[in-house]
Every structure is written in C-alpha cells, then in structure tokens.
C-alpha cells in the first residue's frame, strides 16, 4: 500500500474483512471482499448492499447569495429546487469542460450542500471561491469531516427502519432525489432523521447503482458503528458489503457516468446525461446563464458519447489502446468505460435483468459487458460497433439504456 | 491479495514465468493457471480456450482468462496438440479460482517433445522468480 493514501474510518474494517484494497481518488478503498464482485453486484440487485463512500467530499455553501453563486456555477437550474430536494449536475470551466459532477442539496434558500467526488472538495471549493466575486457567501470544505454509507437495493428501507428513530415518519413522502435530516445540528437545527442512539444523519434517497436506496451522511466517528449495525440488521435479508468493483459494474449498467472518465476535460455536451444541462423544453437554448454555457455551442470537431452493450460478458479495457470501429471498418473513437453487469443477459434481441418480472423459464443470466464509447461521429441506437484491443475484439451495440427494470425511481411504498 | 506464504504451489507441477502450471502424466500434459495468477486476476467470469486439434508452440498464446477486473492472455507451457479442453469451465469459470490445479484445469496437450518440460520452473525456482 502507498503510505500517502488517505483512509476512511472503515479502513481497518475493510482490511480485517478480507477486502482487496486499491487507490481510488487518493484513498485506500476496498475493490471487493471475499464475497467477490459478482455476488456483491447481484446482492444489490436481489436484496441490499452497503458501500463505504466516505472518500467523497462535501462542501457547504451558505449566505444570502448562496443560491446565486451555485446557480451560476452549476449546470442545473436550481431556481425551482425545493427545500429537502437534491439534484444532479456538473461544474464546468469557462471553456465548457467538466471539472466534476455533483449533487446539490437544498436545506434552505440560503443554505446548500454540494457532494462531489473523492479528492475534489478542495478543487470545487476553490472554483466556487474564484467565482464568488462580491457575493455574500461562506464556502466550507467538509472533506474528511464527514463520512458516508450508501445502502442500495430493494431491502434498504426495511433494514434501515430497524436502525432509525420514527421510521414510519421518515419513510413517508420521500421521493427519488429527496432528503431528510442533517449531520450538523449545531448549524442546521435538530435533525429529522436520527439513529436509535440519537446520532443525527442526513438521509438522501439517491445512490450510484440505479437501484432503490439511500446515501447516509454522518459524522466520521459514528460510521463504524452504523456500518456494523446495518450488517447485523441486514443479515436476515442477506445484505452484502460491497466494494468499488460492484459499484462500477452497477453504475455502468445503470448508465451513470464516472467523473474524470466518462465526463471530464472536454466539452460537456453530446452525451447521455443532457438532463444535467438546463435546456428549455425544445432543447434550443438554456433556461439560465451559467459558467461554461457560452462554450457549449456545437462545433464540427465535437465528439459524441454513447452507452453500449457488448454481445456477451466479454469485455475490453477502457482507454486509448482500445479502438472503436464502425460498420465500415473505420476507427472512430475510444472506450471510456467497459464493465460487466453480471445481472443481465440478452434474450430475443433484448436485455433482461435477473430481477425482471416474467423472466423466461430456465434462462441463464450470463452477464453483459457495457459502458460508454466516445466517437467522432453521430450515431443512432442499434448501430453495431467493434471494440478492438490488440488481438481481442468484441461486438457491441449502441444503446439508449442498458440494465432494464431498475428500481431507483420506483415508489418507496413498494419497498417498506 | 494473498501473501507469498499463503500461495498454494504444489511441488509436483512445473511453472512458467507467466504463472501457468503444467503436469505430465503418462504422455499427456495438463495445463492451468496457478494460484498466484488466479489470486491476482480475481473472480474469473469467462475462459476462452482453443479447439481440440489446434497445435501450438511453447510460449504461444492459446486463450484468455477474463476476470471481473481484467483480461489476461494465457501462454502454453509446452509445444503440442490440444487433445482435451475443460468444458466444465463454460458454466463454472469460477473453478479456476476455487480449484485451479484440479477441477479448474484448462487444457490437455499431447506434447511434441516432453523434454520441453525441463525448460519450466520447479516450485523453488518459481518462488524465487516471484520474490524477484
């Protein structure tokens, strides 16, 4: 292990639980445990899994001009964002490149929290600071002052209901991308969500797997106890501790981008996540002015990012050494992400998921490689690609979506 | 990852620098990847094997082992003709992880020249190579 790596409060637990550790964003993080990536991936799809995501960073922005600063720097128009709701978007440089993606949480008209990726707390804090000019805001980097556990899968609420006070109230009116509570009562007042021992937490109905679940933010000194309690309470449900390997394969199947890999130092357009830009209904212009907007005008040299699914579970490496080849044999781009979603398989020209209703009897779920390609020309779903890495080739299809029947957006009542 | 002392390296097989193993029984050589290789690769999800009847020279790439983490080419420890492949791996590739020297074998080869086995490493030599 590189001794310069940062650790989360769960580092000892990971190591003593047989985790395979690796550097991710400067943190020593678990890739998988003895359970293995496949079982961790399937565990989330079938029941529930927990992820240590304490490497992610948070930033508080408060003050009379907090809204104005965020609405200028963030790609989403937060004019209509309600208190208790959060929204996914990105921070762009003036040339329209993505510095990082983020979720903005609205506590009040003048108090917001921004959750960014590992190691990005300082960069986004500096970015906001550089753009605040005369605005009245206080920007506070909470990096390493906060810990986070994600619990994902259909049994997440059932497990959490054993661990929080007044679960019936908490799990009422909690749609996708809403949150309740806070982890800093001295600043934000009494939390609406508390663990049984009184620990205040921010409970956000969101995640990075495409499946129903929550992200739980709390003080670092409380996370080890919560983690162990979730595993105990989740044992009857067969809960699985999950590493970054299954997090990556689950998010790839859910068509979610990894910052600095699928979005990054290039123009933030022509990708599957255009909902993160403040387009008007006709998609002809933006509903607000924001940093980087002027640079997002289409140009001939722009590239296009598309989701793809391979024809089997066989995958290729991401990066410049894997060529994307079109139907004419021309090299048109590179692979940004390629992971195998072990919960899906092709059936009669369509992808089905291990959790899909009415699965054909006797069907074997073999897994499908999937991810994102960046190509130099516009393509349409259904087009065939060859992904070539040295002597190895796989056939892939441009998709609009990958893993079907995901649960993230379904009504919470289904999971109580 | 396993510590060096935890590796299962039987003394009755030979090893290659690319972490395959080979064992001569009668006039047939059984070949697989060793415990170090399966541990480095992580969970194996697919094994690509040659056809029966294919012939290879020592050191040729004869297939690949794909794990959740990576794809790794595999190189034949001895020249010869493929006489059998482990068809059980199609439905249970994880055997390469759980039992790499027995049920997780990959191919059986009729060697051209069994003296090529002498080019391979025995356990102490292989361990020395791992230790660098």
């Amino acid at each position: 292990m590189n001794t310069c790596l940062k650790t989360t409060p769960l580092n000892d637990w990971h190591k003593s639980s047989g985790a395979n550790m690796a550097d991710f964003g400067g943190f020593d993080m678990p890739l998988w445990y003895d359970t293995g990536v496949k079982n961790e991936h399937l565990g989330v799809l079938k029941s529930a899994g927990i992820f240590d995501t304490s490497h992610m960073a948070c930033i508080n922005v408060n003050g009379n001009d907090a809204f104005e600063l965020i609405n200028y720097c963030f790609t989403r128009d937060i004019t209509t964002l309600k208190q208790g709701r959060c929204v996914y978007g990105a921070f762009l440089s003036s040339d329209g490149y993505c510095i990082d993606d983020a979720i903005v949480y609205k506590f009040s008209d003048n108090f917001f929290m921004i959750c960014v990726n590992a190691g990005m707390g300082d960069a986004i804090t500096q970015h906001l600071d550089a753009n605040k000019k005369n605005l009245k805001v206080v920007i506070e980097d909470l990096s390493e002052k906060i810990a986070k556990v994600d619990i994902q899968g259909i049994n997440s609420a059932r497990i959490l209901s054993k661990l929080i006070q007044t679960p019936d109230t908490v799990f009422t009116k909690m749609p996708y991308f809403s949150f309740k509570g806070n982890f800093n009562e001295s600043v934000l007042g009494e939390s609406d969500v508390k663990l049984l021992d009184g620990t205040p937490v921010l409970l956000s109905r969101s995640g990075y797997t495409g499946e129903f679940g929550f992200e739980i933010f709390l003080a670092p000194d409380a996370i080890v106890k919560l983690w162990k309690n979730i595993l105990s309470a989740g044992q009857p449900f067969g809960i699985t501790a999950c590493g970054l390997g299954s997090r990556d394969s689950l998010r790839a199947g859910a068509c979610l981008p990894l910052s600095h890999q699928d979005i990054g130092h290039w123009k933030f357009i022509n990708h599957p996540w255009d909902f993160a830009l403040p387009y008007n209904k006709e998609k002809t212009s933006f509903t607000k002015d924001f940093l980087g907007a002027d640079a997002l005008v289409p140009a001939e040299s722009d590239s296009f990012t598309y989701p793809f699914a391979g024809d089997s579970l066989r995958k290729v490496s991401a990066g410049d050494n894997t060529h994307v080849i079109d139907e004419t044999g021309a090299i048109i781009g590179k692979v940004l992400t390629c992971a195998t979603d072990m919960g899906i398989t092709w059936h009669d020209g369509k992808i089905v998921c291990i959790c899909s209703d009415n699965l054909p009897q006797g069907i074997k779920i073999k897994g499908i490689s999937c991810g994102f390609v960046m190509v130099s020309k516009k393509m349409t779903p259904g087009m065939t690609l060859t992904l070539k890495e040295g002597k190895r080739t796989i056939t892939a299809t441009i998709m609009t979506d990958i893993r079907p029947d995901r649960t993230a957006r379904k009504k919470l009542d289904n999971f109580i | 990852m396993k510590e060096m002392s935890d590796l299962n390296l039987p003394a009755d097989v030979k090893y290659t620098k690319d972490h395959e193993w080979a064992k001569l029984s009668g006039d047939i050589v059984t070949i697989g990847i060793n415990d170090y290789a399966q541990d480095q690769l992580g969970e194996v999800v697919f094994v690509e094997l040659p056809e029966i009847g294919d012939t290879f020279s020592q050191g040729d790439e004869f297939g690949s082992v794909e794990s959740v983490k990576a794809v790794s080419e595999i190189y034949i420890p001895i020249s010869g003709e493929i006489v059998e492949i482990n068809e059980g791996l199609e439905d249970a590739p994880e055997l390469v992880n759980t039992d790499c020297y027995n049920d997780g074998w990959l191919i059986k080869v009729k060697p051209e020249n069994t003296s090529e086995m002498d080019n391979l490493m025995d356990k102490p030599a292989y361990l020395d190579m791992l230790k660098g």
Side-chain angles (χ1 to χ4, degrees):
Chain A
M1 178 191 135
N2 180 340
T3 48
C4 300
L5 288 181
K6 293 175 183 169
T7 57
T8 75
L10 282 161
N11 192 264
D12 287 344
W13 190 92
H14 298 319
K15 286 180 174 167
S16 63
S17 304
N20 202 311
M21 306 293 288
D23 175 3
F24 184 85
F27 283 79
D28 187 38
M29 297 300 288
L31 292 180
W32 58 77
Y33 302 92
D34 289 341
T35 356
V37 178
K38 182 178 176 181
N39 288 329
E40 292 168 22
H41 182 112
L42 296 179
V44 170
L45 295 184
K46 291 176 178 172
S47 179
I50 50 168
F51 300 83
D52 176 15
T53 50
S54 305
H55 57 311
M56 296 181 73
C58 290
I59 300 158
N60 276 343
V61 181
N62 73 82
N64 290 340
D65 297 326
F67 162 82
E68 196 174 326
L69 176 64
I70 294 172
N71 217 35
Y72 175 65
C73 291
F74 194 53
T75 55
R76 293 300 283 269
D77 190 343
I78 61 166
T79 310
T80 55
L81 185 65
K82 292 178 189 161
Q83 190 174 331
R85 296 294 183 103
C86 48
V87 64
Y88 171 83
F91 290 94
L92 306 185
S93 60
S94 57
D95 41 16
Y97 295 177
C98 181
I99 305 170
D100 202 17
D101 63 355
I103 293 179
V104 168
Y105 292 80
K106 180 171 177 177
F107 286 92
S108 71
D109 287 340
N110 56 16
F111 200 111
F112 297 82
M113 186 184 85
I114 303 167
C115 183
V116 297
N117 287 281
M120 290 305 292
D122 184 43
I124 296 297
T125 299
Q126 286 187 32
H127 176 70
L128 292 169
D129 207 47
N131 285 285
K132 76 174 190 185
K133 302 197 170 83
N134 297 321
L135 295 177
K136 292 191 176 67
V137 289
V138 176
I139 303 162
E140 184 190 5
D141 181 2
L142 300 176
S143 294
E144 293 160 75
K145 291 180 186 160
I146 173 168
K148 182 158 92 72
V149 183
D150 295 5
I151 178 167
Q152 303 274 289
I154 52 175
N155 286 319
S156 299
R158 294 183 186 111
I159 294 164
L160 282 186
S161 65
K162 296 181 183 182
L163 303 171
I164 59 172
Q165 298 177 9
T166 63
D168 294 348
T169 314
V170 171
F171 291 134
T172 300
K173 291 189 181 165
M174 201 172 183
Y176 191 44
F177 270 78
S178 68
F179 69 95
K180 292 182 179 181
N182 71 72
F183 49 83
N184 191 353
E185 291 182 311
S186 62
V187 174
L188 288 159
E190 189 173 359
S191 174
D192 291 335
V193 187
K194 290 181 184 182
L195 304 179
L196 291 179
D197 68 2
T199 302
V201 300
L202 190 168
L203 185 69
S204 172
R205 205 191 133 186
S206 50
Y208 193 47
T209 62
E211 302 304 326
F212 173 78
F214 301 87
E215 297 179 80
I216 309 164
F217 299 76
L218 74 174
D221 59 8
I223 193 177
V224 176
K225 183 178 171 191
L226 172 63
W227 180 270
K228 289 177 178 172
N229 286 345
I230 291 176
L231 287 174
S232 301
Q235 198 179 15
F237 297 92
I239 196 169
T240 317
C242 300
L244 296 179
S246 55
R247 188 168 160 84
D248 193 52
S249 53
L250 284 159
R251 70 92 189 172
C255 265
L256 300 172
L258 175 61
S259 191
H260 309 124
Q261 184 168 306
D262 302 313
I263 51 180
H265 199 63
W266 58 87
K267 266 165 84 174
F268 191 71
I269 52 169
N270 301 333
H271 52 56
W273 311 286
D274 62 3
F275 59 84
L277 286 165
Y279 284 115
N280 61 6
K281 268 187 186 165
E282 299 76 29
K283 281 200 175 177
T284 48
S285 64
F286 296 133
T287 59
K288 65 163 187 177
D289 182 33
F290 63 99
L291 183 57
D294 295 345
L296 296 181
V297 183
E300 209 160 287
S301 59
D302 290 341
S303 54
F304 299 82
T305 300
Y306 296 107
F308 73 87
D311 60 354
S312 74
L313 57 69
R314 298 182 65 211
K315 60 183 175 295
V316 288
S317 306
D320 294 336
N321 294 331
T322 302
H323 293 143
V324 178
I325 298 168
D326 71 6
E327 285 150 325
T328 71
I331 295 174
I332 56 166
K334 63 179 181 178
V335 175
L336 300 173
T337 282
C338 186
T340 298
D341 187 327
M342 297 302 300
I344 56 177
T345 203
W346 285 103
H347 180 72
D348 285 346
K350 281 188 179 171
I351 296 177
V352 293
C353 176
I354 199 163
C355 300
S356 297
D357 290 334
N358 306 318
L359 270 186
Q361 238 183 353
I363 191 170
K364 189 168 188 290
I365 303 292
K366 295 176 176 169
I368 300 175
S369 59
C370 57
F372 305 102
V373 289
M374 183 189 257
V375 294
S376 57
K377 66 177 194 182
K378 202 164 185 166
M379 302 192 76
T380 50
M383 281 183 164
T384 304
L385 302 170
T386 301
L387 309 181
K388 186 169 177 23
E389 178 188 13
K391 280 181 280 179
R392 183 182 178 82
T393 59
I394 67 170
T395 304
T397 307
I398 299 275
M399 307 293 288
T400 49
D401 201 358
I402 300 170
R403 191 172 67 248
D405 306 316
R406 298 196 296 271
T407 53
R409 293 163 192 276
K410 292 192 177 167
K411 279 196 169 170
L412 195 146
D413 300 353
N414 295 310
F415 307 110
I416 293 295
Chain B
M1 297 289 169
K2 288 185 179 182
E3 299 294 327
M4 201 79 81
S5 55
D6 294 336
L7 289 176
N8 174 17
L9 298 171
D12 64 346
V13 305
K14 291 292 194 78
Y15 298 94
T16 69
K17 64 177 173 44
D18 299 307
H19 318 293
E20 290 88 12
W21 60 266
K23 184 177 181 180
L24 178 65
S25 312
D27 61 349
I28 297 296
V29 178
T30 304
I31 288 162
I33 65 167
N34 72 21
D35 191 37
Y36 175 82
Q38 73 77 21
D39 184 52
Q40 290 285 318
L41 275 167
E43 241 171 308
V44 172
V45 293
F46 187 79
V47 184
E48 187 183 12
L49 294 176
E51 305 273 331
I52 290 170
D54 288 353
T55 57
F56 295 92
S57 298
Q58 189 174 41
D60 282 355
E61 182 185 326
F62 71 95
S64 62
V65 177
E66 178 158 353
S67 71
V68 289
K69 182 173 145 192
V71 181
S72 185
E73 278 74 39
I74 36 183
Y75 302 94
I76 204 156
I78 192 160
S79 308
E81 180 187 337
I82 308 292
V83 292
E84 200 178 338
I85 60 170
N86 186 351
E87 289 177 354
L89 298 179
E90 189 174 338
D91 280 334
E94 64 275 11
L95 288 171
V96 174
N97 296 114
T98 55
D99 197 11
C100 63
Y101 300 107
N102 295 298
D103 290 346
W105 63 277
L106 303 180
I107 54 170
K108 293 187 182 182
V109 172
K110 188 170 175 31
E112 274 174 21
N113 181 355
T114 53
S115 69
E116 279 184 359
M117 289 295 283
D118 300 338
N119 304 337
L120 306 176
M121 286 174 268
D122 59 10
K123 179 179 176 178
Y126 177 72
L127 266 176
D128 283 348
M129 185 201 81
L130 281 187
K131 287 171 188 161

